[in-house]
Amino acid sequence: MARVRTAVLISGSGSNLQALIDAARDPDFPAEIVLVVSNRVDAYGLERAQAAGIAAKIIDHKQFQNRADFDAALDRHLRQANIALICLAGFMRLLTADFVAGWRDRLMNIHPSLLPAFPGLNVHQRAIDSGARFSGCTVHLVRAETDSGPILAQAVVPIHQDDTAQSLAMRILVQEHRIYPFALRLMAAGHVTIKGDRAFIRTVSAPTQAMINPDGRMDIGV
Ligand code: GRF
């Protein structure tokens, strides 16, 4: 079976890119990472692409007059490379509604919260400050509104009482590296059907157990 030609768009470290590259090393993985695009020249993820022998392209947003021109150049490059699926992985640019519409249901993103809670930036501090006991991460299909769109997979991660934004980010990132390859596998294998705002996935089931935080004995005898 031909593997689905996939591009990963990055702006920084690219640890999620690495997780996707590692998963796609398996010849049975239904997607192949054939292109990495960065809008920043200094993104470490470019080195990861090079180390993996994957074509890497820098499209520096600062070279463009406006968002639409940047997105048009990006779009052109992706189409020239015959890309079928796009994974945003720490790509820190808002995409225009036109671009998003042109890649509808073929554009995935990972966000480090349990969407629809905490879209946008400064996510971990906001989650801690809210007093929530859980946060997590979400892989979703992209719609025009930031961090919205049909949810493909989520991981729930407990918030600890002594967490900093950094410690929580690290705990969540570990789970990001698990769910992004999983969600890409489901998409590339054609197991996902979109109905309205929801993604329905064949071949998977939901866990039956709930998680409680604080953990431990709940009969504390008071
Ligand atoms: C991740 O937390 C991702 O969810 C967010 O930005 C971070 C990127 O990390 N959108 P990396 O570049 O994949 O290491």
Side-chain angles (χ1 to χ4, degrees), residues 123-143:
V123 170
H124 303 300
Q125 193 59 53
R126 285 161 56 215
I128 291 169
D129 291 348
S130 76
R133 296 293 185 197
F134 291 99
S135 187
C137 46
T138 303
V139 180
H140 64 100
L141 292 168
V142 175
R143 295 289 181 263

Side-chain angles (χ1 to χ4, degrees), residues 81-173:
N82 242 320
I83 296 302
L85 259 182
I86 304 171
C87 293
L88 306 180
F91 183 68
M92 301 304 285
R93 297 283 303 167
L94 295 176
L95 294 163
T96 54
D98 273 355
F99 182 94
V100 171
W103 291 92
R104 191 179 171 90
D105 296 343
R106 297 190 298 152
L107 178 58
M108 303 165 68
N109 182 42
I110 188 154
H111 181 77
S113 77
L114 284 178
L115 291 173
F118 308 115
L121 297 175
N122 195 22
V123 170
H124 303 300
Q125 193 59 53
R126 285 161 56 215
I128 291 169
D129 291 348
S130 76
R133 296 293 185 197
F134 291 99
S135 187
C137 46
T138 303
V139 180
H140 64 100
L141 292 168
V142 175
R143 295 289 181 263
E145 197 182 323
T146 307
D147 298 324
S148 76
I151 290 171
L152 297 166
Q154 291 186 309
V156 176
V157 175
I159 298 178
H160 296 181
Q161 299 194 107
D162 60 354
D163 260 333
T164 61
Q166 201 187 1
S167 63
L168 179 58
M170 293 308 295
R171 192 175 310 118
I172 290 175
L173 196 58

